């Protein structure tokens, strides 16, 4: 464990994220002196590998960092700040285009000390947030040019040239798409179907096996209809920009259930002019021709059919319970039924996969030519089912996910797909990112609206989170419970929470 003692209860999240980025396999604790004392008293503080002291001096506007091992000073450094307007954890100044805020000074100091200690740099430098495009995006809206944005990202956060190019390119593409849709007065709808054919080993979503829920899917749809009634009432004077049905696996619904759900939505809310209607049809083992026809008839414009990998062995290893051949059949069937915007998801760093497996996956995908490709880096959470399985079965995890990412990016480029959205998540393999690539005109609009948080997204179904974006950029969230039975029993309460937030 790495212990960080902070002299003030401040920036704990940023400090934690940055230490964790350098030491992904270690537990990191960021505590005040009082919190450390309390833990020592109740005996819950393990011995640390090393300790970092962060000392904030607001009077003299500086922050000091000392790295200690067994009480001995190993390294130390100090950074000066000139502004004092982001002294709380709630400030959004990770994105403020100023080098000298306390938060940015702190990050620069920590980055230089930690990179010196471990002896290497990080591709994203001191940027720890989950939306690295935020900075270039904000600066583009401020009228800054590419050179100014590059300089700021490099000097302030030490981001590598490659990642600056990636995030700046994406921000420009996102901005062009956002400028082309009237999103400011609009909103989007997310509907969660929390059922799957089986549970994948790496799953971190709300998902329950459809076999155990098949008899109650009708009741679940009734609850979604109640939520749709609320949306019609609350957003009656607003325009829907996009609808996204995700999960889980929405194609676990039968064709008549798909018609019932989308039909109800269309009767209550005008979705005839939306920019995009996506249904995740992720698991090939859930796709049938009748379901594809039902979706097409109901106006679905974009679907996602996900191989994750083109190796049968790996699919078995991760509990997908479908073969590569089944995936190819499902994909071809979707093309035959007229879907002209199909996304594929792949995951890099799956247990037991080497660089050659990723090369193989990309070669096979290139033959199929999807319109979008979303490249995820595997996220292994300590104590998760996946982490335990990897340990028990002795599967290795390829450490060079950076190289895997390059192979996937080159494959996407060779299919004419350009990166258009990106996010990072905690514990992500190689501290990298998830990136969506798309053909011109086929980028997932919902993904951009959701990622850039430029409009409200009302989310229906178990385990979903609704978001209200106010005119001044403030964001409020409210969630539906994950447990399907609780969700159905408490549906009035779920709606009431939304009513409080939106009305
Ligand atoms: S298909 Fe997706 S949501 Fe369903 S179990 Fe697998 S990872 Fe989870």
């Amino acid at each position: 464990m790495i212990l960080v003692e902070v002299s003030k209860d401040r920036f704990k999240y940023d400090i934690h994220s940055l230490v964790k980025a350098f030491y992904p396999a270690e537990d990191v604790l960021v505590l005040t002196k009082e919190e450390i004392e309390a833990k020592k008293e109740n005996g819950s503080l393990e011995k640390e590998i090393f300790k970092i002291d962060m000392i904030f001096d607001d009077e003299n506007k500086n922050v000091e960092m000392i790295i200690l091992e067994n009480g001995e000073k190993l390294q130390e450094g100090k950074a000066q700040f000139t502004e004092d307007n982001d002294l709380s954890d709630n400030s959004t100044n990770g994105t403020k285009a100023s080098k000298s805020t306390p938060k940015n000074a702190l990050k620069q100091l920590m980055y230089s000390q930690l990179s010196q200690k471990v002896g290497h740099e990080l591709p994203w430098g001191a940027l720890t947030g989950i939306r690295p495009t935020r900075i270039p995006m904000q600066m583009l809206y401020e009228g800054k040019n590419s050179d100014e944005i590059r300089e700021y990202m490099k000097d302030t956060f030490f981001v590598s040239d490659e990642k600056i190019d990636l995030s700046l390119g994406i921000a420009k593409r996102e901005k062009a798409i956002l400028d082309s849709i009237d999103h400011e007065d609009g909103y989007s709808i997310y509907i969660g179907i929390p059922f799957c054919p089986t549970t994948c080993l790496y799953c971190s979503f709300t998902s329950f096996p459809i076999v155990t829920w098949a008899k109650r899917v009708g009741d679940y749809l009734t609850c979604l209809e109640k939520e749709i009634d609320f949306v019609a009432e609350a957003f009656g004077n607003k325009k829907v920009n996009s609808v996204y049905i995700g999960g889980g696996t929405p194609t676990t619904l039968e064709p008549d259930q798909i018609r019932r759900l989308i039909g109800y939505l269309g009767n209550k809310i005008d979705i005839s002019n939306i920019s995009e209607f996506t249904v995740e049809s992720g698991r090939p083992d859930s796709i049938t021709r009748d379901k594809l026809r039902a979706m097409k008839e109901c106006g679905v414009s974009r679907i996602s059919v996900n191989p994750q990998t083109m190796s049968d062995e790996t699919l078995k290893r991760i509990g997908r319970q479908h073969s590569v051949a089944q995936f190819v059949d499902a994909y071809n069937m979707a093309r035959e039924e007229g879907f002209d915007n199909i996304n594929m998801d792949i995951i890099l760093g799956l247990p037991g996969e080497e660089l050659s497996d990723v090369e193989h996956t990309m070669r096979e995908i290139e033959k199929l030519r999807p319109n979008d490709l979303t490249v995820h880096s595997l996220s292994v959470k300590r104590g998760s089912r996946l982490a335990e399985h990897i340990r028990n079965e002795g599967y290795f995890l390829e450490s060079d996910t950076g190289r895997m990412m390059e192979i996937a990016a080159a494959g996407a480029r060779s299919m004419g797909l350009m990166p258009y959205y990106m996010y990072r998540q905690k514990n992500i393999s190689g501290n990298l990112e998830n990136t969506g690539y798309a053909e011109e005109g086929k980028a997932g609009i919902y993904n951009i609206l959701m990622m850039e948080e430029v409009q409200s997204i009302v989310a229906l179904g178990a385990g979903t989170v609704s978001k209200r974006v106010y005119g001044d950029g403030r964001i409020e969230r409210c969630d539906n419970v994950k447990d399907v039975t609780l969700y159905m029993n408490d549906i009035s309460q779920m709606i009431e929470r939304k009513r409080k937030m939106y009305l």
Side-chain angles (χ1 to χ4, degrees):
M1 178 269 293
I2 298 168
L3 178 63
V4 184
E5 180 178 328
V6 285
S7 71
K8 295 202 168 120
D9 199 348
R10 181 184 292 173
F11 305 133
K12 281 174 156 178
Y13 179 79
D14 297 86
I15 293 170
H16 182 273
S17 305
L18 200 46
V19 179
K20 196 80 185 152
F22 279 102
Y23 294 92
E26 299 299 337
D27 281 335
V28 177
L29 283 181
V30 184
L31 302 168
T32 59
K33 191 172 182 186
E34 295 71 34
E35 288 165 336
I36 293 174
E37 292 305 326
K39 274 191 172 286
K40 276 186 184 161
E41 255 170 51
N42 66 29
S44 65
L45 193 69
E46 312 162 24
K47 173 94 183 86
E48 73 268 5
I49 311 166
F50 65 89
K51 182 170 178 267
I52 301 172
D53 283 346
M54 301 296 312
I55 304 147
F56 299 98
D57 180 353
D58 293 341
E59 208 174 307
N60 296 304
K61 293 196 170 171
N62 67 51
V63 53
E64 190 177 358
M65 175 171 175
I66 303 166
I67 302 180
L68 305 127
E69 217 168 85
N70 297 321
E72 296 276 314
K73 212 182 262 188
L74 280 187
Q75 263 175 246
E76 63 184 319
K78 207 181 245 191
Q80 206 71 33
F81 47 86
T82 54
E83 297 176 27
D84 55 5
N85 57 346
D86 69 346
L87 292 176
S88 80
D89 262 351
N90 295 329
S91 74
T92 53
N93 267 331
T95 60
K96 185 175 174 181
S98 166
K99 291 177 198 171
S100 52
T101 62
K103 188 188 276 188
N104 288 350
L106 164 97
K107 284 185 154 194
Q108 288 156 15
L109 171 67
M110 287 189 71
Y111 185 80
S112 61
Q113 290 292 319
L114 290 171
S115 56
Q116 193 184 322
K117 180 159 170 48
V118 299
H120 66 80
E121 306 281 324
L122 298 175
W124 285 104
L127 273 188
T128 50
I130 60 161
R131 295 183 178 89
T133 48
R134 273 288 171 83
I135 293 172
M137 190 72 151
Q138 185 177 329
M139 293 181 79
L140 284 173
Y141 276 111
E142 284 167 8
K144 301 277 192 307
N145 64 35
S146 298
D147 288 343
E148 288 169 307
I149 297 172
R150 274 175 204 287
E151 191 189 318
Y152 176 70
M153 290 183 79
K154 206 167 184 59
D155 291 358
T156 309
F157 298 108
F158 316 110
V159 182
S160 67
D161 289 337
E162 186 212 339
K163 297 300 178 198
I164 293 176
D165 285 346
L166 178 67
S167 56
L168 182 54
I170 289 176
K172 285 179 179 172
R173 252 166 251 126
E174 282 187 334
K175 186 171 178 298
I177 292 168
L178 288 177
D179 288 348
S180 72
I181 41 178
D182 174 23
H183 62 84
E184 268 168 29
D185 252 348
Y187 71 105
S188 287
I189 300 173
Y190 178 88
I191 300 177
I193 306 295
F195 311 116
C196 286
T198 54
T199 308
C200 306
L201 198 56
Y202 54 85
C203 185
S204 58
F205 306 103
T206 306
S207 161
F208 305 93
I210 186 68
V211 277
T212 33
W213 285 94
K215 288 204 173 78
R216 298 207 63 196
V217 171
D219 297 339
Y220 185 77
L221 293 181
T222 303
C223 292
L224 289 177
E225 286 165 359
K226 289 182 183 165
E227 291 216 79
I228 290 170
D229 289 343
F230 163 75
V231 177
E233 173 202 333
F235 291 83
N237 56 352
K238 289 202 175 256
K239 200 176 134 209
V240 194
N241 289 115
S242 70
V243 175
Y244 194 104
I245 306 186
T249 305
T251 37
T252 48
L253 296 182
E254 294 302 326
D256 58 327
Q257 292 168 333
I258 293 172
R259 285 194 185 91
R260 172 180 161 183
L261 174 63
I262 303 180
Y264 195 89
L265 180 71
N267 281 337
K268 294 285 172 166
I269 296 162
D270 182 9
I271 53 169
S272 54
N273 289 314
I274 55 175
S275 305
E276 177 185 278
F277 191 151
T278 298
V279 176
E280 273 179 20
S281 318
R283 289 274 295 257
D285 45 345
S286 69
I287 297 176
T288 65
R289 196 173 288 281
D290 286 346
K291 292 180 189 181
L292 290 165
R293 282 189 183 154
M295 290 192 287
K296 195 76 192 148
E297 272 166 37
C298 292
V300 172
S301 58
R302 181 175 178 272
I303 62 169
S304 190
V305 187
N306 302 330
Q308 310 302 9
T309 166
M310 292 298 252
S311 153
D312 277 325
E313 255 175 66
T314 314
L315 285 173
K316 248 184 244 147
R317 215 176 284 144
I318 60 176
R320 288 282 284 190
Q321 296 196 357
H322 66 80
S323 63
V324 171
Q326 249 177 311
F327 159 74
V328 174
D329 286 348
Y331 175 83
N332 287 335
M333 202 167 20
R335 285 289 191 221
E336 282 159 22
E337 292 305 318
F339 284 95
D340 62 0
N341 192 357
I342 305 182
N343 171 72
M344 286 185 194
D345 278 7
I346 60 166
I347 303 176
L348 305 179
L350 286 168
E353 286 225 330
E354 302 179 22
L355 295 178
S356 57
D357 293 299
V358 179
E359 280 163 354
H360 169 76
T361 292
M362 289 313 299
R363 269 197 309 275
E364 293 304 303
I365 284 179
E366 279 175 49
K367 291 180 196 161
L368 299 170
R369 298 250 151 201
N371 309 92
D372 305 18
L373 177 74
T374 311
V375 179
H376 298 268
S377 304
L378 184 70
S379 166
V380 184
K381 295 180 179 87
R382 272 166 89 100
S384 66
R385 214 160 63 91
L386 175 61
E388 203 185 314
H389 186 73
I390 291 170
R391 214 177 20 256
N392 292 344
E393 299 296 320
Y395 296 136
F396 77 93
L397 285 176
E398 169 65 60
S399 54
D400 200 356
T401 34
R403 178 69 197 118
M404 287 183 166
M405 190 72 78
E406 284 165 19
I407 296 168
R413 262 197 312 276
S414 74
M415 290 185 278
L417 310 181
M418 298 299 286
Y420 76 93
Y421 98 112
M422 171 174 64
Y423 65 97
R424 299 169 74 207
Q425 65 196 93
K426 278 185 171 181
N427 305 312
I428 201 164
S429 190
N431 192 32
L432 293 162
E433 64 279 331
N434 298 323
T435 307
Y437 298 84
E439 264 172 22
E440 185 71 40
K442 297 285 167 75
I445 290 168
Y446 172 85
N447 290 336
I448 298 174
L449 291 168
M450 189 253 309
M451 205 47 66
E452 292 307 323
E453 302 190 310
V454 289
Q455 65 169 206
S456 294
I457 293 182
V458 58
L460 324 179
T464 61
V465 181
S466 293
K467 191 158 58 178
R468 178 169 182 187
V469 178
Y470 290 85
D472 59 2
R474 197 163 44 90
I475 292 168
E476 207 179 326
R477 290 182 171 81
C478 96
D479 56 345
N480 280 352
V481 288
K482 284 190 178 178
D483 184 281
V484 181
T485 307
L486 273 184
Y487 165 76
M488 293 199 285
N489 290 346
D490 294 346
I491 186 64
S492 313
Q493 205 190 320
M494 303 295 112
I495 293 170
E496 216 30 56
R497 283 190 205 169
K498 285 194 183 65
R499 191 182 299 282
K500 272 200 190 119
M501 184 169 82
Y502 286 115
L503 296 177

